[in-house]
Amino acid sequence: MGKKIQLIEPTKAHISKAERLDREEMQKELFEYAELNTKPPNHLKGEALKEWNRIVPYIKNDIPVSELDYSLIASYCVAVGTVIDCQNNINKCGIVLADGKANPAVKMQSQAIKDMRMLANALAISLDGRMKLALNKVKEKPVDPFEKLMSND
């Protein structure tokens, strides 16, 4: 279902075999949920639909998403679509409208960007989320057979 997120983070503290097994079991369970349906929701249109088609293949390959994440991914795509649609309106009408009032698209875009960032972090598709995944991979160290032999576990 994709590359596994390493839940068994290296720690300086000693963890017992039982604790390690518990963590490994939790990690396995993360991949036992129903696979993500890649068919986009019917309500996605325009830029939101383009974003769905762009990110879902990457998400499925790199992050253990499941059908439970379907609405979260769709919401992220809606937020991206809103940001783009608002920017198109701002480009067309300007930040300040002809009547001297602020373009409401600016405020809507600002909120959509906040929503997009929050959802991207929740899905681990932001730079920060990907860095955390990469950090877990880098922190993994190979098991030293001598160290394992000397351990009392």
Side-chain angles (χ1 to χ4, degrees), residues 82-136:
T82 301
V83 169
I84 294 169
D85 291 344
C86 287
Q87 187 60 51
N88 289 338
N89 179 278
I90 293 166
N91 292 344
K92 179 181 173 187
C93 302
I95 294 174
V96 178
L97 301 176
D99 62 3
K101 294 182 180 176
N103 187 339
V106 173
K107 187 173 182 180
M108 289 172 35
Q109 183 185 45
S110 178
Q111 183 58 51
I113 290 170
K114 290 175 187 172
D115 294 344
M116 185 178 71
R117 290 179 64 197
M118 184 263 310
L119 292 164
N121 283 329
L123 290 166
I125 59 175
S126 66
L127 178 58
D128 186 49
R130 291 191 316 272
M131 285 173 50
K132 287 177 184 174
L133 292 176
L135 182 61
N136 283 336

Side-chain angles (χ1 to χ4, degrees), residues 8-20:
I8 305 169
E9 297 179 23
T11 177
K12 291 183 181 181
H14 177 74
I15 62 172
S16 68
K17 280 185 179 180
E19 289 171 318
R20 178 169 292 281

Side-chain angles (χ1 to χ4, degrees), residues 47-78:
E47 296 297 332
L49 180 59
K50 286 181 191 176
E51 184 66 7
W52 176 278
N53 291 326
R54 186 183 75 81
I55 68 165
V56 165
Y58 293 114
I59 291 175
K60 280 195 71 155
N61 289 333
D62 296 333
I63 301 169
V65 293
S66 74
E67 189 60 26
L68 294 172
D69 303 307
Y70 189 82
S71 295
L72 194 61
I73 296 167
S75 296
Y76 170 80
C77 294
V78 167

